[in-house]
Amino acid sequence: MATQVISANRLGDGLVVYMTDGSGWSERIADAHAVTDKEAGEAAMAAARAAEVARLVVEPYLIDIDESGGERRPTRYRELIRAKGPTVRPDIGKQAEL
Amino acid sequence: MPLIKSKQVVIDTWQHVDDEMALPADGGVIISLARWQAEQTVLVGRNAPLGIRLKSDEGVDTIINDLPRFGVVALEFPTFKDGRPYSTARLLRQRHHYTEELRAVGDILRDQVQFMRRCGFDAFEFADKTAAEKAIAAFDEIEAVYQTAADRRRSAAMIRNDTTNAFLNGTCG
Amino acid sequence: MYLYDAIDQSLVDQRVEQFHDQVRRRMAGELTEEQFKPLRLMNGLYLQLHAYMLRVAIPYGTMSSHQMRKLAHIARRYDKGYGHFTTRQNLQFNWPKLEEMPDILAELAEVQMHALQTSGNCIRNVTADQYAGAAADEVADPRITAEVVRQWSTLHPEFSFLPRKFKIAVTGSPRDRAAARVHDIGLIIKSDEAGAMGYQVIVGGGLGRTPMIGVTVHDFLPKRHLLSYIEAILRVYNQAGRRDNMYKARIKILVHALGAEEFIRRVNAEWEAIRDSAVDLPAGEHDRIAAFFAPPRFEPLAKHDALFARYRLEDREFAQWARTNVAPHKQPGYDIANISLKPEGGIPGDATAEQMNAVAAIAERFSFSEIRVTHEQNLVLPHVRQADLYDVWQTLRSHDLATPNLGLISDIIACPGMDYCSLANARSIPLAQDISKRFADLKQQHDIGELKVKISGCINACGHHHVGHIGLLGVDRKGEEYYQITLGGSADENTSLGEIIGPAVSYDNVVDAIETITTTYVGLRTDGESFLDTYRRVGKEPFKETLYAAH
């Protein structure tokens, strides 16, 4: 199975966040808790759903990532755009803050 | 289930009777359209108040000939997104002059009761008492209306073109 | 323009309070996301790829300098300093916070604005011809009708949970600049032989997954019956429209399934029952609303201003802008100035807070403080004295707002696409940027002439690709962005839907493909023949040949 992390949008400001090891949430995908098998993925999703019930985030889901280049990148292009910001505005979004 | 009428939680004197259930010996019952169509003679002979429940795809035409027999018409919202009962309600009130209780049942949310009341509903069944109590405040969240509908509220246009100008004097009901 | 009275203001203020409470309940856990979502959507608040997105209603695309300044203020204070004007004449903010939403809506309410019904399965913000009240070819001002419909549709008790969203457009000119034939209802104001006003009513047009051109259900509906007639249409739709499949839920599918004749029969039967009821406006209300749209205090001027003529002779760049971006006005000595939001390599429809303030100031000084938003994602100064056009142009130019490309190949409609939108399958904006860069040579653009390119990042067709002379639809092919090309669409009075000309092309090949298409057109055209006319004459084959031979 591909390596996966959990992403969601934060309830209060809507920004893209990733679930970290301690079931916290970070704006940076580098901080995300990675899972590599189905059971770990399900356990992580259970924690994420609890965070949704606790009104921290909205609609969490698992995304595939690729760590082969040394840098952690989402596999799907849509997720890459979420992780960085609009491709047409390199001056805003996460890409501008990194 | 908790019922709101006239912005109060009231005791429901009617009983919903499922199609499989035997009719109780007395008291008002609300039955489905299918049961009404199948057991009309028995139901009329029962000599107790009768109410009917329409699914959202059962239009007003199915009952207009029998309308005087019903003390309640309950319109089902299978989900709050299904807006057909709003039209059914207005047709019952405004076209067929139905004056008895018009009840909203099913997926009823507080954020919709203002629309429902405007379309002629005067009874609202909620899943629990807390939800019902909280919904009461929602009836009056927005006072001004732009349309004439089944309630007696006067539209903005009517108020503007009436020299007594009730809204601006704060007497708009 | 229309100004709120105490009733209008109280409704918007109370609606802000109501939403404030809904946000509070969401943050407090009294509402789940599933329960909250329809509530926030009814206030124009989406959750998109990067953040929330707020769609602010600009009713029929009309606003004042005062309102534009407020939008600039909101962009700066609550967002990232810019906004995006949409194909429904609205404005979208891409980065607002849920927790600040009540403040933003309260700020909007201060200037008689709101975000009501910019989303959800209700009657959406009504659109109209952006040249309303100004166009030389106008029969009647569509804004009066649009405002009547706006009020009637606002928080409509019966029609707030329709099978699907419902869009109404109004035009008062024979030249259709409002895309009336591709709306759920299109209203075209006409005058009969006796001079009485009425509507041609078109129903069941639309784009999206199943594009259709609307059918005329009434040739001449007398003005006074407007609301009862559209209430009849909506009631038939609310009861009979499909609710089992969201892709088949628009009214166009119902009209198609019943057939126009049966649909009209049902509407007429319903209308007979309500046409003389209180649904229609009481006497006086139409006139009260119409009075707000009385012409501004125009000065009596000569039909052609000498100074304007002189500047055009002396300054070629100005002359070029005047040729493309200025349209004739009904009042002698005045013209309509279009502000292009499509600079070379820019993001179609985007404006910075600084640009918004600049437009507000220019409108205040030169256009009676009036601004319009077009469905082609540009802005309009509706009433400019010809003598002032040179000043207007110079000021616009200093804010990068004077690109002379209206209606040309770089005046592209593009939806936000996958750069912002959670529904998109592919990006739209960068293609628009690349096309405008490839055709940066204005001389070449002018030589190609009128050519409308419209780009959508998914089948929902927010970029109106079906009615682009050249349409591009983004599709996801195994994770790669591909684009289906359609040719021959048009949204004007001779509306047509574009035809797919062959297999989709990859992102990297789109701009070359566009150039192949324009080159083919230039080779085929007769004297003075536009792209669309040429396409309608020769059909898709010659384009298909050159395009797929080249790739």
Side-chain angles (χ1 to χ4, degrees):
Chain A
M1 194 187 90
T3 307
Q4 293 185 312
V5 300
I6 290 177
S7 184
N9 290 76
R10 196 153 52 203
L11 175 64
D13 61 12
L15 293 184
V16 174
V17 287
Y18 301 91
M19 197 171 80
T20 63
D21 280 337
S23 296
W25 295 85
S26 168
E27 290 179 35
R28 290 155 40 91
I29 194 168
D31 299 337
H33 169 65
V35 296
T36 51
D37 61 70
K38 203 171 162 226
E39 290 70 36
E42 279 167 11
M45 271 307 293
R49 285 196 200 98
E52 187 175 29
V53 173
R55 309 184 302 281
L56 297 175
V57 297
V58 180
E59 291 173 8
Y61 58 98
L62 285 160
I63 63 166
D64 290 352
I65 57 163
D66 174 10
E67 299 186 282
S68 59
E71 189 197 0
R72 189 179 267 181
R73 288 163 62 90
T75 315
R76 280 184 68 199
Y77 194 49
R78 177 184 191 275
E79 288 304 325
L80 188 64
I81 293 174
R82 285 182 79 239
K84 295 181 134 185
T87 66
V88 293
R89 287 296 301 267
D91 57 321
I92 56 175
K94 297 179 194 305
Q95 58 202 350
E97 290 145 22
L98 297 177
Chain B
M1 284 210 269
L3 187 69
I4 300 181
K5 291 187 79 169
S6 306
K7 298 183 201 170
Q8 285 180 328
V9 181
V10 297
I11 292 165
D12 190 356
T13 58
W14 294 81
Q15 189 185 344
H16 285 285
V17 179
D18 288 346
D19 288 356
E20 314 70 65
M21 267 168 68
L23 291 167
D26 49 25
V29 293
I30 302 174
I31 44 108
S32 72
L33 175 67
R35 189 159 191 173
W36 166 247
Q37 288 170 339
E39 300 173 31
Q40 202 156 337
T41 324
V42 178
L43 287 160
V44 171
R46 192 169 158 268
N47 210 12
L50 190 60
I52 191 156
R53 190 170 62 238
L54 296 186
K55 293 186 166 57
S56 63
D57 62 353
E58 293 169 341
V60 62
D61 293 348
T62 56
I63 56 163
I64 38 175
N65 292 331
D66 303 318
L67 213 45
R69 298 183 187 278
F70 304 123
V72 167
V73 175
L75 301 181
E76 283 182 26
F77 289 80
T79 141
F80 72 88
K81 292 176 192 156
D82 188 338
R84 285 175 285 190
Y86 294 102
S87 288
T88 311
R90 283 192 71 185
L91 291 172
L92 280 170
R93 290 290 194 213
Q94 293 179 271
R95 188 154 312 159
H96 302 291
H97 311 292
Y98 173 71
T99 55
E100 299 295 322
E101 180 179 314
L102 185 55
R103 183 183 292 205
V105 300
D107 190 17
I108 311 300
L109 305 177
R110 65 164 274 176
D111 301 285
Q112 289 170 284
V113 294
Q114 54 176 351
F115 296 128
M116 290 175 179
R117 185 172 60 157
R118 296 220 63 215
C119 289
F121 288 100
D122 58 358
F124 310 85
E125 256 186 45
F126 279 83
D128 65 81
K129 192 154 180 278
T130 320
E133 281 166 354
K134 286 190 170 173
I136 290 170
F139 284 104
D140 298 313
E141 283 176 346
I142 294 173
E143 289 165 84
V145 297
Y146 283 123
Q147 315 79 8
T148 55
D151 57 355
R152 274 177 295 178
R153 284 159 91 177
R154 297 165 73 237
S155 70
M158 292 168 88
I159 293 164
R160 285 166 179 151
N161 289 277
D162 172 357
T163 44
T164 59
N165 218 341
F167 182 88
L168 298 177
N169 294 329
T171 53
C172 174
Chain C
M1 42 185 288
Y2 186 75
L3 294 175
Y4 286 5
D5 67 3
I7 299 176
D8 300 306
Q9 190 68 49
S10 83
L11 185 139
V12 170
D13 289 345
Q14 291 186 332
R15 187 74 179 92
V16 171
E17 274 310 302
Q18 188 181 45
F19 190 60
H20 195 158
D21 188 55
Q22 289 164 352
V23 172
R24 183 197 60 72
R25 283 152 60 203
R26 173 69 182 114
M27 302 297 282
E30 291 171 34
L31 290 170
T32 63
E33 184 62 18
E34 195 192 354
Q35 292 167 327
F36 180 61
K37 189 173 174 179
L39 301 178
R40 66 167 158 77
L41 287 177
M42 288 184 84
N43 256 297
L45 187 66
Y46 289 74
L47 185 53
Q48 291 288 22
L49 271 193
H50 307 289
Y52 291 102
M53 180 273 277
L54 176 66
R55 185 179 292 151
V56 177
I58 300 172
Y60 35 95
T62 296
M63 71 174 142
S64 67
S65 293
H66 186 47
Q67 291 173 321
M68 182 68 112
R69 285 206 177 89
K70 179 61 88 176
L71 295 176
H73 166 74
I74 290 170
R76 275 206 181 115
R77 169 132 185 222
Y78 302 97
D79 207 272
K80 293 186 186 290
Y82 69 104
H84 177 75
F85 290 99
T86 76
T87 52
R88 291 208 40 84
Q89 301 179 306
N90 292 321
L91 180 90
Q92 292 179 178
F93 290 117
N94 290 308
W95 307 88
K97 298 181 173 73
L98 176 62
E99 41 211 17
E100 292 184 339
M101 202 52 55
D103 298 332
I104 299 173
L105 294 178
E107 295 238 24
L108 288 171
E110 278 174 24
V111 296
Q112 310 194 345
M113 294 185 92
H114 58 70
L116 299 185
Q117 292 173 214
T118 56
S119 180
N121 292 338
C122 54
I123 302 165
R124 299 289 189 88
N125 182 39
V126 179
T127 55
D129 182 350
Q130 66 270 18
Y131 292 171
D137 60 1
E138 186 169 276
V139 174
D141 191 331
R143 291 174 301 171
I144 301 161
T145 298
E147 176 60 25
V148 166
V149 174
R150 182 192 76 81
Q151 295 192 20
W152 164 81
S153 63
T154 297
L155 300 183
H156 197 292
E158 184 179 347
F159 305 134
S160 289
F161 297 91
L162 296 167
R164 199 77 178 85
K165 58 189 167 186
F166 202 92
K167 300 175 178 177
I168 301 176
V170 194
T171 178
S173 294
R175 181 82 206 277
D176 182 3
R177 286 172 289 260
R181 288 153 183 88
V182 286
H183 276 76
D184 295 290
I185 293 180
L187 298 170
I188 299 171
I189 309 173
K190 293 187 166 169
S191 144
D192 70 5
E193 280 151 21
M197 293 295 168
Y199 301 96
Q200 180 185 349
V201 183
I202 298 169
V203 177
L207 301 175
R209 198 167 292 248
T210 318
M212 288 189 192
I213 296 170
V215 296
T216 296
V217 297
H218 205 303
D219 287 320
F220 192 82
L221 176 72
K223 193 176 75 175
R224 68 180 185 282
H225 290 308
L226 176 68
L227 293 184
S228 57
Y229 193 77
I230 59 179
E231 185 142 313
I233 293 171
L234 265 297
R235 184 166 294 147
V236 168
Y237 171 54
N238 190 43
Q239 294 180 103
R242 282 183 67 171
R243 291 174 184 269
D244 59 327
N245 180 341
M246 72 176 283
Y247 300 118
K248 294 185 174 166
R250 296 286 289 268
I251 196 171
K252 61 191 171 189
I253 305 290
L254 178 66
V255 174
H256 186 73
L258 293 178
E261 202 178 318
E262 170 62 10
F263 178 79
I264 293 167
R265 190 195 65 74
R266 290 193 191 188
V267 168
N268 284 338
E270 181 57 40
W271 186 43
E272 278 308 313
I274 58 172
R275 59 185 285 178
D276 295 313
S277 70
V279 176
D280 284 312
L281 286 184
E285 182 61 1
H286 187 277
D287 294 343
R288 187 193 75 89
I289 290 173
F292 287 101
F293 299 100
R297 289 162 169 258
F298 293 122
E299 295 168 38
L301 297 171
K303 192 163 168 44
H304 298 290
D305 183 76
L307 202 61
F308 176 44
R310 205 183 86 201
Y311 280 126
R312 273 183 297 169
L313 282 175
E314 288 175 359
D315 190 326
R316 278 189 49 209
E317 283 186 57
F318 173 64
Q320 199 169 39
W321 179 79
R323 186 149 67 94
T324 48
N325 291 33
V326 173
H329 198 286
K330 61 168 77 166
Q331 179 74 16
Y334 285 80
D335 274 332
I336 301 165
N338 283 277
I339 301 172
S340 169
L341 295 180
K342 321 287 176 64
E344 183 195 325
I347 297 177
D350 271 18
T352 64
E354 182 270 332
Q355 287 177 317
M356 291 183 212
N357 279 329
V359 171
I362 297 167
E364 208 160 51
R365 195 163 154 219
F366 297 110
S367 182
F368 299 94
S369 294
E370 265 194 56
I371 301 156
R372 307 284 170 76
V373 183
T374 82
H375 84 271
E376 294 180 325
Q377 301 181 282
N378 292 311
L379 300 176
V380 171
L381 301 168
H383 316 294
V384 182
R385 291 192 319 175
Q386 288 175 356
D388 291 331
L389 281 167
Y390 194 68
D391 277 353
V392 166
W393 172 70
Q394 286 186 308
T395 320
L396 287 173
R397 200 164 57 150
S398 67
H399 297 280
D400 199 17
L401 290 167
T403 311
N405 62 347
L406 211 84
L408 302 180
I409 191 169
S410 64
D411 182 11
I412 298 165
I413 289 185
C415 72
M418 205 161 63
D419 280 298
Y420 290 100
C421 178
S422 59
L423 297 173
N425 293 319
R427 290 172 300 158
S428 304
I429 296 166
L431 274 188
Q433 293 175 307
D434 290 349
I435 294 167
S436 82
K437 283 184 209 153
R438 173 72 64 94
F439 292 90
D441 178 2
L442 277 165
K443 200 163 154 285
Q444 189 194 358
Q445 288 197 42
H446 280 268
D447 177 56
I448 293 168
E450 186 182 56
L451 212 174
K452 296 185 188 239
V453 179
K454 306 191 182 195
I455 312 173
S456 303
C458 80
I459 192 71
N460 290 306
C462 295
H464 297 183
H465 64 277
H466 298 295
V467 289
H469 300 170
I470 300 177
L472 295 171
L473 165 65
V475 293
D476 176 344
R477 190 169 288 175
K478 293 179 185 153
E480 300 289 318
E481 295 168 296
Y482 270 71
Y483 297 84
Q484 199 175 70
I485 302 174
T486 49
L487 296 181
S490 172
D492 63 7
E493 59 283 3
N494 299 307
T495 294
S496 55
L497 301 171
E499 298 175 283
I500 298 168
I501 63 160
V505 302
S506 70
Y507 182 93
D508 290 334
N509 289 322
V510 171
V511 183
D512 286 342
I514 302 288
E515 194 161 18
T516 304
I517 292 164
T518 59
T519 310
T520 307
Y521 150 64
V522 169
L524 289 167
R525 72 179 166 193
T526 59
D527 245 8
E529 195 181 44
S530 72
F531 174 84
L532 193 59
D533 289 340
T534 303
Y535 181 81
R536 284 176 175 166
R537 177 170 58 80
V538 303
K540 69 179 172 184
E541 284 313 317
F543 294 94
K544 199 172 166 177
E545 267 168 42
T546 52
L547 193 60
Y548 293 99
H551 292 286

